[in-house]
Amino acid sequence: MAAQTETKPSNKKYIFEIHFLRAFACLLVVGVHVSATHYGMNDETWNWFTYFLNQYGRFGTTIFAVISGFLLFYQVKRRGFELGRFLQSRFSKIVIPFLIWSVAYRYLLFHYDKQTLGDPGAEITKILTGDSFYHLYFVAIVVQFYIIFPFLQKIFRTQTLLLIFTFVSLIISYQLYGFHPDIDGALGEFLASKSFMPIWIFYFAFGGFMAYFWEEIVAFATKRPWKMLGVILLISAGAVFEYQTKGYVSNRRLTNLVNIPALCIAVVGIYPFLSKLNIVKKTLTVIGQYSMGIYLIHPMILYLFARHLPETYWQAEYVPLMFLAVMVIASVFIRILQFIPLSGFIIPVPKIKNNKRKPAVQPEHKASA
């Protein structure tokens, strides 16, 4: 992918700030599931650290929704929209891996938990609603957004229209909080479930807002890294206060309608500061690049851990080590998988080019769309 100078940000193909945000979201999601697995294996008890990891990490999935919206709208802003290319790209990079991993997790449950397979209709419903395993619902949400995106991008093509879309989406997500339709059967269950995409529409829309106001957001946030760090700490303190006073919270809580936009902008703002630390930058670059693969595979690693690791390792002091082990195993697996032909249909991994042949170009603000 060709690099562009910072004076032409609308033509950039790789924005490392978003990549950094994706790594941040990935770490949060893994934290949720590591702590939840520990909770289930340890007589269902929390300590302060595992409870924090689980509750704070619930920002992660919602941030992924913002990133999904950003990448789609950013591509339209930069290159326009071609329906054929869009369908081919999304089908090969998202839908096929989603189907493959849905089948893999159904087999895992069938093999280990002796779960019987339902009739074909029931199994197809499980897959389409992301009910094959606990984390796949979010991929089903993203696929639903893909269905309406060709219509959205045709309507909301300017900054003003994106502002309107974001505001309307905020109202929709707010109104659908705790939505329980008076409909029986599978349809009613789906509409009331976390897999129902309109509940999440604001976060996709805010991603579009970031895409169309990207230059302004970067100029504002990256010039104030310490203030952005302060925003992150303030949101973090508020999140701790919320779950300490209200108890267990979900990733669809109303406070996220404020927290997630502020957190996304603030994380983007501290990227230039953290990128000066080479080891941090390289680590987060790999995590961001492998984030979808890590998202898809890490519950399987935890599932196998839960069935094969001795009880000794399910103590709170081993949680950080387990977190690290999951990240390393997932990353190594993805790296090895890349040597297999057509592995992109199993786990898509975006390519990163440093463009070393053009020393005058500053790659610091590039990132993949």
Side-chain angles (χ1 to χ4, degrees), residues 315-326:
Q315 304 303 315
E317 58 266 27
Y318 287 105
V319 169
L321 181 62
M322 188 170 296
F323 181 95
L324 180 62
V326 169

Side-chain angles (χ1 to χ4, degrees), residues 43-169:
D43 299 324
E44 298 189 343
T45 57
W46 300 106
N47 72 356
W48 72 268
F49 176 69
T50 56
Y51 196 38
F52 170 81
L53 201 62
N54 184 273
Q55 294 293 277
Y56 188 81
R58 293 183 183 276
F59 287 136
T61 305
T62 321
I63 292 174
F64 271 130
V66 173
I67 295 169
S68 297
F70 175 92
L71 295 177
L72 291 179
F73 279 104
Y74 189 79
Q75 282 188 338
V76 171
K77 173 188 173 183
R78 180 167 51 84
R79 295 190 304 185
F81 182 81
E82 294 180 14
L83 182 60
R85 184 174 64 185
F86 171 78
L87 293 176
Q88 180 183 20
S89 171
R90 296 305 93 188
F91 188 77
S92 62
K93 295 179 180 178
I94 301 296
V95 176
I96 290 180
F98 171 54
L99 296 176
I100 289 174
W101 284 98
S102 294
V103 172
Y105 278 103
R106 287 300 293 151
Y107 175 77
L108 187 76
L109 294 174
F110 175 80
H111 178 74
Y112 276 92
D113 288 355
K114 308 302 180 185
Q115 290 190 14
T116 58
L117 298 177
D119 62 80
E123 290 301 318
I124 291 173
T125 299
K126 274 184 174 290
I127 290 175
L128 294 180
T129 58
D131 200 30
S132 297
F133 213 67
Y134 59 75
H135 66 311
L136 293 174
Y137 77 95
F138 179 70
V139 187
I141 291 169
V142 172
V143 173
Q144 291 174 63
F145 184 72
Y146 290 161
I147 294 173
I148 66 171
F149 180 74
F151 304 98
L152 294 176
Q153 64 80 30
K154 193 173 184 64
I155 299 170
F156 304 106
R157 284 179 171 268
T158 67
Q159 289 183 332
T160 301
L161 292 174
L162 248 299
L163 276 172
I164 295 172
F165 175 49
T166 305
F167 179 72
V168 172
S169 298

Side-chain angles (χ1 to χ4, degrees), residues 6-7 9-10 12 15 17 70 77 159 209-228 264-272 364-365:
E6 293 182 20
T7 59
S10 61
K12 296 180 301 182
I15 308 172
E17 295 92 341
F70 175 92
K77 173 188 173 183
Q159 289 183 332
F209 170 86
M210 289 186 67
Y212 272 72
F213 289 87
W214 181 243
E215 290 76 34
E216 294 86 347
I217 290 172
V218 170
F220 172 82
T222 56
K223 291 178 181 178
R224 299 167 175 84
W226 291 108
K227 290 182 179 179
M228 295 299 102
C264 288
I265 292 173
V267 171
V268 166
I270 66 170
Y271 169 76
E364 200 61 29
H365 287 209

